[in-house]
Amino acid sequence: MRHEQLQPLLDDPSPAAVRAVTQALPPDAGRIPHEWLLVRTGADRPRALRVAAERLLRTHVRATVRQRCPAG
């Protein structure tokens, strides 16, 4: 499944759905827009969603850095 298909599931109110998506998305985290994830860390969002978004943001940043500064 592509990240575009999984992203909307992060907004699912079910913590189990959010957990499943968080586990599936890390390989594609670098392709998820940073701003899209950042919005989901707001205090108005459910805790499971905020935690998932924060984890994916960290993965996103690591993936972005690896793309810009490949080891060599």
Side-chain angles (χ1 to χ4, degrees):
M1 207 177 254
R2 296 178 50 102
H3 71 279
E4 293 95 353
Q5 295 169 311
L6 291 172
Q7 280 177 228
L9 296 175
L10 268 176
D11 291 327
D12 189 301
S14 165
V18 172
R19 264 192 309 276
V21 173
T22 304
Q23 292 173 354
L25 278 176
D28 290 324
R31 296 183 186 147
I32 301 170
H34 180 86
E35 296 78 18
W36 189 89
L37 289 170
L38 197 57
V39 167
R40 280 143 183 84
T41 63
D44 61 324
R45 302 294 177 132
R47 183 180 185 283
L49 176 56
R50 289 192 318 264
V51 170
E54 289 168 5
R55 287 180 182 157
L56 289 169
L57 271 170
R58 286 192 297 272
T59 304
H60 173 84
V61 168
R62 285 192 297 268
T64 303
V65 168
R66 271 191 300 251
Q67 289 172 358
R68 291 183 183 166
C69 304

